[in-house]
């Protein structure tokens, strides 16, 4: 009995000692943005995200990863006037699902450039073999008109501002085999809303707690033209379909300018495919881009 009481007193003493040490779980680091200018991406930059999709009236859940990588590439030649060259980065976005997923993996290749403020200009969309150039959807005939180079992300980012809607047609066969001509229109893309609604919502991720990312509300559509046979995806927010489908996307993204998108929720509806509605949640979990110094 004395031995048993001794053990009880010993356990109680150890418990009291530990309590007096004020042991607590380490706090999550808080990261605060100090600039409104989007990062100017460099070759070999990458961001990796966790992805969760919910389908079938949100009853089916699939998981995967999304990787965005920027790489150096050869200058692009304008398909109408080959004397014009564009210095660009190759941006490859790869959405890969776990083995038991019912979703289809997606790869998107885009060619972009940025100015010193971080504004992103889109030049062309690729599929690993061909380039598909962008045209004014109100003025696509004849096919020898100049390509357009839309700014798809404005920087600096300003709360309360709304980007001018981005709309373009994607054409096939531009400059190949005949320089100065394009083939038919494949699809049109219309970003109808891109509004910076605030910077007061904190987002917690595997990399830390981001205290003041810009919150951006967006919405847009993608619609096929001319009964195309080419099937590409030009924007990750329309990944529930391809250029063969009528799709619509809407949601919220949180952007830390020093890095880029850190979290996004996107509702993608496919009006012509078998899968009608997909809800995507992507959250950053890794990057080689330097993070701002934590504040705590």
């Amino acid at each position: 009995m004395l031995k048993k009481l001794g053990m009880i007193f010993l356990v109680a003493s150890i418990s009291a000692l530990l309590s007096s040490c004020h042991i607590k779980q380490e706090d999550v680091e808080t990261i605060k943005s100090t600039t409104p200018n989007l990062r100017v991406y460099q070759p070999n930059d990458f961001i990796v995200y966790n992805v969760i999709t919910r389908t079938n009236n949100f009853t089916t859940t699939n998981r995967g990863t999304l990787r965005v990588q920027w790489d150096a590439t050869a200058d692009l030649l304008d398909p109408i006037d080959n004397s014009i060259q564009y210095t660009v980065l190759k941006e490859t976005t790869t959405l890969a699902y776990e083995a038991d997923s019912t979703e289809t993996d997606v790869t998107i290749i885009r060619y972009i450039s940025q100015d010193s403020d971080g504004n992103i200009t889109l030049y062309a969309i690729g599929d690993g073999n061909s380039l598909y150039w962008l045209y004014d959807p109100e003025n696509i005939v004849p096919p020898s008109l100049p390509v357009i180079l839309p700014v798809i992300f404005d920087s600096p980012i300003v709360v309360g501002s709304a980007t001018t809607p981005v709309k373009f047609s994607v054409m096939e066969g531009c400059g190949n085999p005949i320089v100065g001509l394009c083939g038919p229109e494949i699809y049109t893309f219309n970003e109808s809303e891109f509004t910076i609604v605030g910077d007061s919502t904190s987002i917690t991720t595997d990399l830390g707690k981001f205290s003041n990312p810009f919150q951006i509300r967006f919405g847009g559509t993608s619609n096929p033209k001319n009964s195309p046979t080419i099937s590409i995806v030009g924007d990750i927010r329309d990944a529930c379909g391809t250029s063969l489908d009528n799709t619509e996307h809407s949601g919220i993204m949180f952007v830390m300018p020093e890095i880029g998108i850190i979290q996004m929720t996107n509702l993608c509806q496919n009006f012509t495919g078998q899968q009608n509605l997909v809800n995507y949640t992507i959250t950053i979990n890794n990057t080689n881009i330097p993070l701002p110094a934590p504040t705590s």
Side-chain angles (χ1 to χ4, degrees), residues 220-275:
T221 58
S222 175
N223 303 106
K225 298 292 182 179
N226 298 316
S227 301
T229 57
I230 295 170
S231 176
I232 60 173
V233 180
D235 193 293
I236 191 60
R237 293 167 299 173
D238 291 310
C240 67
T242 71
S243 55
L244 299 175
D245 300 308
N246 289 290
T247 61
E248 180 177 277
H249 62 261
S250 62
I252 294 288
M253 65 174 67
F254 291 90
V255 175
M256 196 75 171
E258 291 90 340
I259 305 167
I261 298 172
I262 58 168
Q263 189 176 82
M264 180 171 70
T265 57
N266 174 49
L267 190 63
C268 181
Q269 186 162 8
N270 185 334
F271 294 97
T272 55
Q274 294 181 349
Q275 194 171 66

Side-chain angles (χ1 to χ4, degrees), residues 14-256:
I14 293 173
S15 177
L17 180 62
L18 290 176
S19 298
S20 69
C21 292
H22 302 290
I23 295 175
K24 65 177 181 179
Q25 187 174 1
E26 185 178 352
D27 293 334
V28 175
E29 288 187 334
T30 299
I31 302 169
K32 183 176 182 179
S33 176
T34 59
T35 178
N37 290 66
L38 185 67
R39 174 177 175 80
V40 177
Y41 294 109
Q42 304 299 310
N44 302 316
D45 279 357
F46 71 83
I47 305 174
V48 179
Y49 303 87
N50 293 322
V51 178
I52 300 174
T53 68
R54 294 179 176 87
T55 59
N56 300 325
N57 293 322
F58 304 93
T59 60
T60 302
T61 299
N62 292 288
R63 299 179 184 275
T65 59
L66 178 73
R67 181 184 177 94
V68 185
Q69 172 136 357
W70 293 268
D71 293 299
T73 189
D75 289 353
L76 299 185
L77 296 179
D78 187 289
I80 302 302
D81 183 353
N82 274 185
S83 67
I84 301 174
Q85 297 186 31
Y86 304 113
T87 300
V88 295
L89 281 179
K90 181 181 181 183
E91 178 192 86
T92 303
T93 301
T94 306
L95 175 57
Y97 290 99
E98 294 178 352
D100 61 349
S101 172
T102 59
E103 297 290 335
T104 302
D105 294 351
V106 177
T107 298
I108 299 169
I109 300 172
R110 305 198 299 185
Y111 296 87
I112 66 163
S113 74
Q114 290 176 270
D115 61 19
S116 58
D117 288 328
N119 291 289
I120 299 179
T121 297
L122 178 63
Y123 288 76
I125 297 168
D127 64 1
N129 297 304
S130 301
L131 293 179
Y132 305 97
W133 292 83
L134 316 179
Y135 278 75
D136 179 354
E138 306 301 326
N139 195 21
I140 59 172
V141 179
S144 57
L145 292 173
V147 299
I148 62 170
L149 309 174
V151 174
I152 59 172
F153 197 105
D154 285 336
S155 179
I157 308 171
V158 180
V159 173
S161 66
T163 300
T164 302
V166 175
K167 189 174 183 179
F168 54 80
S169 289
V170 180
M171 312 286 281
E172 71 169 305
C174 297
N176 183 21
I178 302 174
V179 173
L181 293 176
C182 281
E185 183 182 18
I186 302 171
Y187 73 96
T188 58
F189 177 86
N190 181 19
E191 184 78 279
S192 56
E193 181 181 18
F194 200 84
T195 304
I196 295 85
V197 297
D199 63 353
S200 60
T201 301
S202 62
I203 298 296
T204 300
T205 74
D206 291 342
L207 300 184
K209 179 181 179 181
F210 295 93
S211 64
N212 63 335
F214 288 97
Q215 181 178 349
I216 301 173
R217 185 174 62 239
F218 61 82
T221 58
S222 175
N223 303 106
K225 298 292 182 179
N226 298 316
S227 301
T229 57
I230 295 170
S231 176
I232 60 173
V233 180
D235 193 293
I236 191 60
R237 293 167 299 173
D238 291 310
C240 67
T242 71
S243 55
L244 299 175
D245 300 308
N246 289 290
T247 61
E248 180 177 277
H249 62 261
S250 62
I252 294 288
M253 65 174 67
F254 291 90
V255 175
M256 196 75 171

